[in-house]
Amino acid sequence: MAINDFDFLVGRWTSRQRRLLHRLQGSQAWESFSGRSEVQQLPGGLINFDTLEAEGWRPGWVGMSLRVFNIATGLWSIHWLTHDGDGIDAAGRLSPPVVGRFEGDHGVFEGEDECDGRPVRVRFEWQRQGADRARWQQAFSADGGRSWEVNWVMEFEREPSATPPVAEAAMPIDCEVVELRRYRLHPGQRERLVALFDTQLVEPQEEAGMVVMGQFRDLDAGDRFVWLRGFASMAARRQALQAFYDGPAWQRHRQAANATMIDSDDVLLLRPAWPGAGVAMQGRRRPAGPVRMAPAGLLQACILPLREPALPALLDFCRHTMAPCLQAGGAQVLGWYVTEPTPNDFPRLPVHQDEPLLVGLAMFPQAAAFDAFVQGGSWARQVQPGLAGWLAGTPQVHRLVATARSALHG
């Protein structure tokens, strides 16, 4: 049993379906049809869902399974819904799930339901059959689990992929200047901006001479979009920004992008805290083509306000205490940055340079790993007491998950 039990199912599938026409009536009349499914996993790995369509059986009908992993119990809860209201009770709540786990390649999940107004016990069974085949069946029991009647069987076969788009290399620039950009958006507009950004605004910026390092959803603020872009130098930044913001891509899409935003001026201008401390972009790749599924991983962006510009003693503490603490907690430490002191020479884009900062970026494999790190208390014990004397205020911590085309991801 594990959080990755259903990873095998991510992707697109065809299925051969057999469904009992009359349940719990001793019937042997079955109907057969074909279906198509697409299974996606949400960032962090705790939730996955699929959609099932069967046009030859019921045109326009759509079924959906929603699967949620409970870290505390190690159990999966599976909800079944349909477009016409099955799975939602009269108060608009999800009906009770079936709950269970995998043992090896076999998963069993049980719960309570009704069949034609009659209380029944429901059992889902999954059987993994290698990388490209799987089997699911549903059974009902009207006698508390003493006997079972199988009433629906699906035999899955993975769809052969079309030629997949090749991942594209991010710009291999040594980013000696970095913008950490935090946008506050109008309610409900983040997915609109994510789609526009990922499909229309990555390559034009890199063609102008900058690197789009990563773009993220903030888990703690549903209307915040956070991203990082880097430049070889302040002079290169000015040239690249002028080329992009005066160029055709931004002129074409700026109205749509700006319409999603309340505030786009919360920007930190940074440089690596010491030579080699910045995020290495060489070798990083982002998915190409039309993609919808975000990669796994959680980026912790920790912003520390300082009493004075970072002294060598603080940077030693950063290297020898803070970074090892994060690494011991399962994180990959990506980079450390401080405020860039050179005045902003592209005033069309305001930035914050009015206080000294230390900014750390660390990638955890999933949100649950970050939560376990915090709950374990090693940061509070090993880092916070020694760090307190340098701080001018309360640190800000962003929990960020990458969009589908972010070059920085887990």
Side-chain angles (χ1 to χ4, degrees):
M1 63 178 183
I3 194 173
N4 60 356
D5 281 333
F6 281 101
D7 286 3
F8 77 97
L9 204 55
V10 171
R12 295 180 179 174
W13 301 79
T14 57
S15 57
R16 299 186 305 277
Q17 310 254 344
R18 294 176 61 245
R19 187 175 182 273
L20 193 62
L21 284 170
H22 308 290
R23 301 174 178 184
L24 299 176
Q25 298 178 27
S27 172
Q28 292 300 315
W30 292 78
E31 58 183 341
S32 299
F33 53 93
S34 61
R36 296 189 66 191
S37 302
E38 181 173 1
V39 183
Q40 300 186 58
Q41 187 177 64
L42 296 187
L46 294 175
I47 299 173
N48 65 77
F49 66 94
D50 63 43
T51 53
L52 169 65
E53 300 177 46
E55 287 295 311
W57 175 53
R58 295 183 184 176
W61 178 89
V62 180
M64 188 183 89
S65 294
L66 174 67
R67 307 178 188 90
V68 182
F69 184 71
N70 186 319
I71 297 174
T73 64
L75 298 175
W76 286 94
S77 296
I78 305 177
H79 297 270
W80 169 251
L81 306 95
T82 67
H83 82 285
D84 50 7
D86 266 359
I88 302 289
D89 68 16
R93 297 168 300 199
L94 288 174
S95 298
V98 294
V99 179
R101 69 184 73 196
F102 271 85
E103 297 291 345
D105 288 328
H106 184 221
V108 179
F109 311 86
E110 294 188 9
E112 304 297 328
D113 205 341
E114 291 185 355
C115 178
D116 298 326
R118 182 181 180 185
V120 296
R121 185 88 179 153
V122 182
R123 175 184 287 171
F124 289 1
E125 291 188 64
W126 275 100
Q127 187 69 42
R128 293 188 289 232
Q129 299 174 335
D132 297 322
R133 294 181 184 275
R135 186 179 192 274
W136 173 89
Q137 71 176 34
Q138 174 182 268
F140 287 175
S141 172
D143 56 13
R146 290 188 296 276
S147 63
W148 295 88
E149 177 187 80
V150 174
N151 56 50
W152 201 342
V153 178
M154 304 183 191
E155 303 281 354
F156 290 88
E157 184 171 347
R158 190 181 298 277
E159 284 190 358
S161 334
T163 305
V166 177
E168 300 170 341
M171 289 280 287
I173 292 175
D174 288 329
C175 299
E176 296 302 314
V177 178
V178 168
E179 294 175 351
L180 173 58
R181 308 188 66 84
R182 298 176 290 183
Y183 292 176
R184 187 162 60 94
L185 308 179
H186 293 288
Q189 292 299 301
R190 185 163 70 183
E191 293 312 307
R192 185 185 300 273
L193 180 60
V194 166
L196 177 64
F197 198 102
D198 274 10
T199 59
Q200 304 296 332
L201 298 178
V202 173
E203 281 77 10
Q205 292 188 79
E206 298 202 331
E207 289 166 3
M210 64 193 89
V211 55
V212 179
M213 301 166 67
Q215 54 270 23
F216 306 89
R217 299 173 177 90
D218 191 321
L219 286 184
D220 300 309
D223 297 320
R224 183 183 289 139
F225 176 72
V226 180
W227 61 294
L228 295 125
R229 66 180 170 190
F231 311 84
S233 64
M234 285 295 289
R237 173 179 176 268
R238 183 183 64 254
Q239 295 170 5
L241 292 179
Q242 183 170 346
F244 173 70
Y245 287 104
D246 290 340
W250 183 243
Q251 301 307 311
R252 186 162 54 249
H253 298 295
R254 67 178 180 179
Q255 185 172 356
N258 287 336
T260 68
M261 303 174 193
I262 295 173
D263 177 21
S264 61
D265 292 342
D266 188 1
V267 181
L268 305 181
L269 192 62
L270 307 169
R271 61 178 173 85
W274 60 85
V279 176
M281 296 306 298
Q282 287 82 357
R284 296 191 181 274
R285 308 186 74 83
R286 65 170 61 88
V291 291
R292 290 187 292 170
M293 193 182 310
L298 180 142
L299 180 69
Q300 177 204 30
C302 184
I303 301 169
L304 305 172
L306 304 178
R307 296 180 183 276
E308 57 187 328
L311 298 172
L314 173 57
L315 299 184
D316 283 344
F317 184 76
C318 178
R319 281 190 288 256
H320 302 304
T321 301
M322 297 166 69
C325 181
L326 289 163
Q327 291 162 346
Q332 178 189 7
V333 178
L334 299 182
W336 298 98
Y337 293 90
V338 294
T339 303
E340 168 60 57
T342 307
N344 178 25
D345 56 0
F346 195 79
R348 287 161 58 183
L349 295 184
V351 299
H352 295 312
Q353 296 177 283
D354 51 349
E355 63 176 331
L357 300 171
L358 174 65
V359 177
L361 303 175
M363 183 69 72
F364 288 82
Q366 53 199 216
F370 174 79
D371 292 341
F373 169 71
V374 173
Q375 292 164 11
S378 60
W379 185 266
R381 293 190 304 271
Q382 300 171 23
V383 174
Q384 287 180 355
L387 188 60
W390 282 296
L391 296 182
T394 303
Q396 298 179 54
V397 177
H398 295 293
R399 298 187 308 141
L400 307 174
V401 290
T403 73
R405 298 203 60 227
S406 175
L408 293 181
H409 55 75

